[in-house]
Structure formats: structure tokens, C-alpha cells
Amino acid sequence: MESLCAFVLDRASVYPSFCFNEQSEGLDVSEIWSFHPSNELQTTHIPDFDVGSWLTKGTPHETEASTLLRLVWVRLHKDVRPWQLNIRKSSLDAVLGKLKIEEAYRYSFTSPGTFAVMPVHRTRLSNTLVFSLCMPDLFAVVWTHDAVSGRTEGVCWADDWISEVMQDVVSHLKRWAQHPLFLALAVSVMLGHLLDRDLDREVKSIAAVENRTRYHGFKHTSVGIAEGDYALLSERMSGCAVSLAGLERISKVLNDFLGELSTHMQRHGVKDDPNLENVNQNVNESVETLKRRLKMQNIQIDYLSRRVEIQLRAVGNASFIPQLLAWHPLTSPTNHIPTQLFNLIAQKETKVGIAVAEDSRTLAAASKEDSTAMKTLAAVTVAFLPGTSVAAFFAMPLFEWNAISDGMIVSKRFWIYWAVTVPLTFLTLVIWALWTRRQARVQRISERRAREELLADIEVNRGGRMVGGKEP
């Protein structure tokens, strides 16, 4: 084990990478004391300038009772890149050095998940064990346990939600704090609670989509109906599939943790101490209870994955269905994958087309009525236009109808009328022709742009459906 740890620490990459908050004002520490009047989990904030003194002298409670558990909480912030540990690097180094868990800390972040007992002689204390338990993207707990005094000291890295749950679990199970694997049990309880929380979230999300597509057999449901088009529903179900895959990973890691916990309890559990036999028995029973709960949670994960598959068949990405069938083969691989997606889209487009057709019919009827009225007005205009034109022409002052019989009826300036009318008419026709030609050119440009945008949208949609460079 020693050689393997040395090899991993020298060559393995860190998973994932973190940065430190050098503006942190201190750290939070939870402690449990034996025979203390409060007998409760006490959480104290240690200012950064006082960390060194605290590591040297401890807390005032240690003068009244011995410490069973001392756990330093380091909050993990995932809303920044890289992820940030809310502690100064100097403070963390001081804590790790004091507890002699530097190598266990480094080892925790060299694997996506691990439960290890570090070599005992590396702590230079023959009566001390060093444990490392982590899933670096969620949490990490590193602690030491002194078999003589029963004291457990360690550090926990986690986000706010996991830290709060861990504190609740530790407070609830504080009676077993002297057990060397107490923190491993607390982490297992927290992971089970995490599975319950996320499974409940996925159940509601899947049920909402089922209520929208009606691809379910439930008569009653307390969940609302999902909103959005079928592309959004497909994206939502794909997200559920990814989330369930993550929950399946957590369940497998938890199953491995519980198996390792049972193994380590046989090796490092409380032995030859009649006063602690009850604690050992309770921890064993709790582990078995968690194993039974985990079986039910795995059944739920499998059941929800099958429901997601059905919804993806209805509204999902067709290229993703063969992968889901490989994970959960409900049908024979030779069966044809249904095309409900296209049927649903066609149904929706048909309804939209019917609504558009109804509106078009209404507009056509209104246009027909307007056209009839315009024809009536045009007919009346045409009937009276010749007489009106003749009357207006001969009503001009260029004609002298009261002249004597041998006089001039038409004025000598009658040519002015034609000199103005003919050019003005020609100019009007030219302006009309130019305006019509410009409107036609604008229409052609608009149609060309619309075709280009349509082709671009088609290329984008085809690119979104490409899998491995080929269309599914």
C-alpha cells in the first residue's frame, strides 16, 4: 500500500483543480466532547489570525472534557472557475500539518472516487489510523482516529448543501462519534439523502413531460404540465437522462463505499471494549439499512431511466434512442424505433395549418366583399368619366362660346394647355415606371435574403442532428 500511494502521489493528476480564497476570514470547526454537559455538536468560527493559536491550545471546552470529534469545514464554491475552497492556503496547510493528513489530502484528489486507509506508520503514531473518503466533484473527507483516546480529527470539503446535511447527520449520530468509521457512516447517510433529493426532482420533471405528451398510464397526477415546444421537451428529457446517469454513478460509488465500510469495520472496528460493543453493533446495523435502501434507490433509478426512454421516443432526439436502448433494452434491437416525434410535430403543424387556413378564408371573404364594392365604384366611375372629361374640357376659359358667328371660338392661347398637359402626363408615366421597377427590385432582394436565411437554418438544424460526422 505504501508503494502504491507513493506512486500515485508522485504521478497522478489532481482531479479536479481548486483555487483558494485568500480573503477568507477564518474557518468553522465542529466538535463533540465526552462527558460534556451540553453533549451536543458545537460549531465554532475560528478567525484566521487565531488559527495557529487554536491548533496549539485547542478550544476552552477541552479543559472540561476530552474531544471525541473535531471536524474542520471547508466550503466548496462551484460558481467560479476553477472551483474555490473558502479557506486560505496557509490555514489549510497548517491544519493538514497539525493533523498529519497531508498525504491523505493529496491522495483524495487523485481519483474520481476513493475510500482508503493510508499507511499507519506515515503518521508516526502507531495508535492512529488515517482515512480518506471522497468524490472530488462533490465532497472529500480526510480524518485520523486515535484508537487509544477514541478521538477523530479531520477536514471536510463540500458545497453548502452537503456541508449542512453532513452537520445534521453528525449531530444526529453523535452518540457513535468514538467509532473510527463514524465519518464514513455519516458520508454514506449523506449520499443516500442526496440520491433521495435528486430522484424526487427527476420524478417531478419526468411526470410534467409525461402529462404533456400523454405517454403514460397514470390516471391521476399531482404534477403540472411541462411548457415549451417539442425541442425544449427533448432537451429537458435529455437532461434528465444525464442526471440519472450521474445518480447511477453516485449509487455505484455509495455501494462500493458501503462494501468497503463493512470490510474496514472488520479490520478497524471497535474491538475488545465491552463499553463500545453497542456502538459497533449500531454502526453495523446502520450500514445494512443503508444497503437495503440503496437497492430500492437503484430500482427507482432504473425505473425512471425507462420512463425517460419512453419520453425520448415521443419527443426526443432520435440519435440518442439507440444509446438508451443499449442501457435499458426494452425491445429487441431488430425492432424498428417508432417515429412518434415526427408524428407529433406533423400533428402540431397540421393544427397550425388549419388555423392559418381558417384565418385565410376569413380574409378572403372580406377581400371578396371589398373587391365587389371596388368594382361597383369602378363601374360608376367609368360610366360618368367620358361625360365628366368632355364637360371639364369644354368648360375651360380657352373656349368663347358667346362669340359672334364669324368670331374665334377657340382662344389663341389654346396651345398652352397641350404644352403643359403632354409633358406632365409623360413625366407622370416615367415616375410610375421607375417606382414600379424599384419595388420589384426590393421584392427580389427580400426574397433572396429570405431564401438565404432559410438555407442557413436548414444547415444549422442538420448540423445539430449530426452524430460523428454522419446523419443519424
Side-chain angles (χ1 to χ4, degrees):
M1 179 65 180
E2 178 183 358
S3 300
L4 176 60
C5 289
F7 177 84
V8 171
L9 291 175
D10 290 340
R11 294 170 176 81
S13 59
V14 176
Y15 177 91
S17 59
F18 299 101
C19 65
F20 296 91
N21 180 13
E22 298 299 336
Q23 305 300 320
S24 175
E25 298 179 354
L27 48 86
D28 294 328
V29 181
S30 294
E31 296 176 316
I32 298 177
W33 305 275
S34 62
F35 310 112
H36 191 268
S38 66
N39 195 29
E40 295 290 340
L41 178 71
Q42 301 290 329
T43 300
T44 306
H45 180 76
I46 308 298
D48 185 74
F49 64 84
D50 200 31
V51 170
S53 175
W54 168 75
L55 290 174
T56 303
K57 301 179 181 179
T59 58
H61 295 285
E62 291 190 68
T63 62
E64 305 172 10
S66 61
T67 305
L68 291 179
L69 174 69
R70 174 182 291 160
L71 190 59
V72 177
W73 303 99
V74 179
R75 298 302 174 98
L76 175 61
H77 297 297
K78 298 182 179 180
D79 54 349
V80 295
R81 293 292 183 274
W83 292 350
Q84 184 184 76
L85 296 176
N86 189 28
I87 189 174
R88 299 183 185 221
K89 189 176 186 305
S90 58
S91 299
L92 180 62
D93 291 341
V95 172
L96 296 178
K98 175 65 176 180
L99 301 182
K100 297 181 174 61
I101 55 175
E102 303 99 323
E103 292 185 355
Y105 161 75
R106 291 170 54 201
Y107 184 80
S108 297
F109 296 100
T110 59
S111 171
T114 184
F115 185 6
V117 180
M118 305 300 292
V120 175
H121 73 273
R122 285 185 176 271
T123 64
R124 300 179 181 178
L125 294 173
S126 59
N127 61 346
T128 302
L129 296 175
V130 180
F131 297 89
S132 173
L133 178 62
C134 75
M135 291 180 66
D137 55 333
L138 293 177
F139 69 92
V141 183
V142 180
W143 73 96
T144 65
H145 179 78
D146 190 324
V148 175
S149 63
R151 173 184 292 188
T152 297
E153 297 179 301
V155 182
C156 176
W157 296 263
D159 61 24
D160 291 341
W161 186 87
I162 292 180
S163 296
E164 292 175 2
V165 173
M166 279 287 293
Q167 290 184 22
D168 290 341
V169 173
V170 170
S171 178
H172 185 75
L173 304 179
K174 59 182 179 294
R175 299 185 305 275
W176 307 337
Q178 64 267 47
H179 197 283
L181 297 171
F182 171 70
L183 289 180
L185 176 63
V187 168
S188 300
V189 174
M190 178 274 296
L191 287 178
H193 186 57
L194 175 64
L195 286 174
D196 289 334
R197 181 200 68 172
D198 289 355
L199 284 173
D200 180 69
R201 179 194 63 207
E202 300 308 320
V203 166
K204 294 178 181 178
S205 182
I206 295 170
V209 176
E210 288 174 338
N211 291 339
R212 173 71 180 278
T213 63
R214 299 191 180 277
Y215 274 70
H216 64 82
F218 307 112
K219 294 183 179 180
H220 305 285
T221 177
S222 59
V223 181
I225 300 176
E227 299 181 354
D229 56 21
Y230 292 111
L232 291 178
L233 298 183
S234 173
E235 179 181 348
R236 187 169 180 176
M237 285 296 92
S238 297
C240 288
V242 174
S243 179
L244 289 173
L247 294 181
E248 185 176 2
R249 166 182 171 256
I250 294 176
S251 71
K252 289 181 178 180
V253 172
L254 177 56
N255 182 67
D256 182 71
F257 283 173
L258 292 174
E260 291 293 326
L261 183 55
S262 298
T263 301
H264 289 309
M265 284 187 62
Q266 297 177 3
R267 299 177 182 175
H268 310 295
V270 179
K271 299 179 181 179
D272 303 326
D273 190 343
N275 297 326
L276 297 179
E277 288 182 359
N278 186 45
V279 172
N280 209 45
Q281 181 180 356
N282 287 332
V283 173
N284 272 313
E285 292 176 353
S286 299
V287 171
E288 295 301 319
T289 300
L290 290 174
K291 288 181 178 179
R292 289 191 293 270
R293 284 182 56 82
L294 182 59
K295 289 182 180 180
M296 297 299 102
Q297 290 169 333
N298 285 331
I299 292 175
Q300 180 74 345
I301 291 174
D302 183 72
Y303 170 57
L304 294 180
S305 297
R306 292 173 183 266
R307 288 171 62 180
V308 168
E309 174 191 340
I310 293 172
Q311 298 311 309
L312 282 172
R313 287 187 172 203
V315 299
N317 187 348
S319 65
F320 191 64
I321 293 177
Q323 301 178 30
L324 284 178
L325 291 178
W327 297 341
H328 303 284
L330 291 176
T331 60
S332 171
T334 59
N335 291 345
H336 176 67
I337 297 176
T339 57
Q340 288 93 335
L341 168 64
F342 306 105
N343 295 335
L344 287 170
I345 293 177
Q347 181 182 9
K348 179 182 177 181
E349 291 181 347
T350 301
K351 292 181 179 179
V352 174
I354 292 175
V356 172
E358 289 292 337
D359 293 340
S360 299
R361 192 175 72 86
T362 302
L363 291 174
S367 299
K368 184 178 181 180
E369 293 178 359
D370 293 342
S371 177
T372 301
M374 292 301 296
K375 288 179 179 179
T376 302
L377 291 176
V380 172
T381 301
V382 169
F384 288 93
L385 183 60
T388 303
S389 300
V390 171
F393 182 80
F394 287 109
M396 290 187 300
L398 297 175
F399 295 95
E400 183 58 48
W401 299 106
N402 296 324
I404 56 176
S405 58
D406 57 350
M408 292 288 294
I409 297 177
V410 180
S411 174
K412 295 180 179 180
R413 296 182 179 86
F414 184 67
W415 63 270
I416 297 176
Y417 170 78
W418 296 111
V420 175
T421 301
V422 172
L424 184 60
T425 302
F426 178 76
L427 179 62
T428 301
L429 294 175
V430 170
I431 292 175
W432 173 81
L434 293 175
W435 182 84
T436 303
R437 184 176 180 180
R438 180 182 180 279
Q439 289 297 108
R441 184 170 64 256
V442 171
Q443 182 67 20
R444 288 195 300 271
I445 294 174
S446 177
E447 292 177 353
R448 184 173 67 253
R449 290 178 178 175
R451 286 195 300 270
E452 292 174 353
E453 292 177 358
L454 178 61
L455 291 174
D457 291 340
I458 293 174
E459 289 298 326
V460 171
N461 292 332
R462 290 186 66 235
R465 295 193 301 267
M466 295 292 282
V467 178
K470 297 181 180 179
E471 289 191 13

